[in-house]
Amino acid sequence: MATRQPRPLPMAADLYGDIEPSPKSSWQGYLPGLAIVAAGTLAAAFLSDHYGAPLTLMALLIGLALNFLSADTRLTPGLAFASRSLLRWGIVLVGVRITFGQIVALGPVALLCVLAIVALTIGAGILAARRFGFDTAFGTLAGGAVAICGASAAMALATTLGEKRTSQAQLTMVLVGISALSALAMVLYPIAAHALAMSDLKAGFMLGAAIHDVAQALGAGYSYSKDAGDIAAIVKLTRVALLAPVLAIVALFLRGDASRAKGPGIPWFVVGFFVLAGINSFGVIPAVTAKGAEQIAAGLLAAAVTATAIRSPLSQLLEAGPKPLFVILAATLVAFLLALGAALMFVG
């Protein structure tokens, strides 16, 4: 009897590079995928300039329209590089727009709100999982992915929990659900912020505190306004930095294999973001350099959104039952409502 091979994990926005290994390729092997990403990003820029639509939203829609190209393995190295490495460097360069004054202006209350949102969202995932017949481990996996940084958090949590507690099928469904809901949130949450006439500060906090993946969170923020994007970047990267302590807690209480308990620390691109923000706070970066870095960052983030949308495993959403998605959706709604409430009541 033939042994059934495990299905490959869906391709997603993999900040840590642990969902899939970096494709080994010569520099020529990256060109086809990068050419597709460049064409899609330039098309998005054209639509954004001519119709006044947000660049990242156009990049998302064009990427989803090109999703069928993800089946072509010749594009995999370039798409992986764009959705991972370009996103990381885009995040670092966003630090040129930020000063520590902006970070301090958020205040300790905002930080406490972020901590509460992360904790309560994970708790909501656990409760929803039990309600739909899953165990605590799956609830932690789904809730933690929503609460922290989407697909990358899901993979880190699954590694920490171990295969005895979370199966590859469960991890796959979380990655698929996170990919779809993060893209949907990038479109709908700024619309909600506009409908409520939220200030840039409040909108930026809400978007940074509620949206799953980093690329979509920053994309939504900058689609609202430049100032909202800056705040969303600070808040979202604060959530990313919380992955390390969350993994430590999970390893302490729920780990399935002690050898897997050690997870990633604070990633280098988060450190780079805050280092550039610190340098920018002293006003030593020339205006021309800062403006050029901002433009490059916008282009890199748009390219990352395009590549991530192309690689999103949309077809797999139709292959599984709805219950795992209900758990992810419940955690997503809780995160959105908590972030919205905190933004309206405690921020600004």
Side-chain angles (χ1 to χ4, degrees), residues 93-102 226 230 273-287 289-291 294:
L93 290 178
V94 166
V96 175
R97 307 178 182 181
I98 309 297
T99 66
F100 279 160
Q102 290 174 289
K226 177 184 177 299
D230 292 345
F273 169 87
F274 285 109
V275 167
L276 271 187
I279 295 172
N280 188 45
S281 300
F282 291 103
V284 297
I285 300 178
T289 302
K291 184 174 180 59
E294 288 184 19

Side-chain angles (χ1 to χ4, degrees), residues 12-312:
D14 183 13
L15 281 174
Y16 289 92
D18 49 13
I19 293 177
E20 57 180 354
S22 298
K24 295 185 182 301
S25 176
S26 63
W27 67 268
Q28 295 98 327
Y30 290 99
L31 295 181
L34 290 177
I36 294 295
V37 171
T41 306
L42 289 173
F46 175 84
L47 293 173
S48 176
D49 289 340
H50 284 73
Y51 298 102
L55 172 60
T56 46
L57 176 58
M58 292 297 98
L60 174 69
L61 296 178
I62 289 176
L64 292 174
L66 297 175
N67 185 260
F68 66 94
L69 294 174
S70 62
D72 190 338
T73 57
R74 294 173 299 178
L75 305 180
T76 299
L79 292 177
F81 180 83
S83 64
R84 184 183 302 166
S85 298
L86 296 188
L87 174 59
R88 292 166 174 168
W89 284 108
I91 290 169
V92 172
L93 290 178
V94 166
V96 175
R97 307 178 182 181
I98 309 297
T99 66
F100 279 160
Q102 290 174 289
I103 298 173
V104 172
L106 281 174
V109 174
L111 176 59
L112 291 175
C113 286
V114 172
L115 294 173
I117 290 168
V118 169
L120 293 173
T121 300
I122 295 174
I126 294 172
L127 292 176
R130 292 177 176 174
R131 172 66 178 81
F132 289 106
F134 298 98
D135 59 11
T136 298
F138 179 75
T140 303
L141 178 66
V146 172
I148 302 172
C149 56
S152 292
M155 189 61 198
L157 285 164
T159 302
T160 302
L161 289 165
E163 293 180 3
K164 292 182 180 180
R165 287 185 172 273
T166 55
S167 67
Q168 186 185 57
Q170 289 179 329
L171 175 58
T172 298
M173 278 308 303
V174 170
L175 294 175
V176 172
I178 287 292
S179 178
L181 290 178
S182 187
L184 189 63
M186 178 181 162
V187 176
L188 296 182
Y189 289 8
I191 294 175
H194 280 294
L196 294 171
M198 298 177 73
S199 67
D200 290 339
L201 177 60
K202 292 179 181 294
F205 178 89
M206 186 269 286
L207 297 171
I211 296 179
H212 317 62
D213 282 322
V214 176
Q216 280 81 357
L218 271 61
Y222 286 113
S223 73
Y224 194 86
S225 73
K226 177 184 177 299
D227 290 339
D230 292 345
I231 298 300
I234 296 169
V235 174
K236 180 60 185 176
L237 293 180
T238 299
R239 289 168 61 196
V240 173
L242 291 176
L243 180 59
V246 168
L247 289 177
I249 295 171
V250 170
L252 179 64
F253 290 102
L254 290 175
R255 70 172 181 242
D257 182 350
S259 67
R260 293 169 173 258
K262 185 178 179 180
I266 298 177
W268 67 265
F269 53 86
V270 175
V271 175
F273 169 87
F274 285 109
V275 167
L276 271 187
I279 295 172
N280 188 45
S281 300
F282 291 103
V284 297
I285 300 178
V288 174
T289 302
K291 184 174 180 59
E294 288 184 19
Q295 293 174 339
I296 294 172
L300 293 177
L301 292 176
V305 169
T306 301
T308 300
I310 293 174
R311 306 178 80 216
S312 296

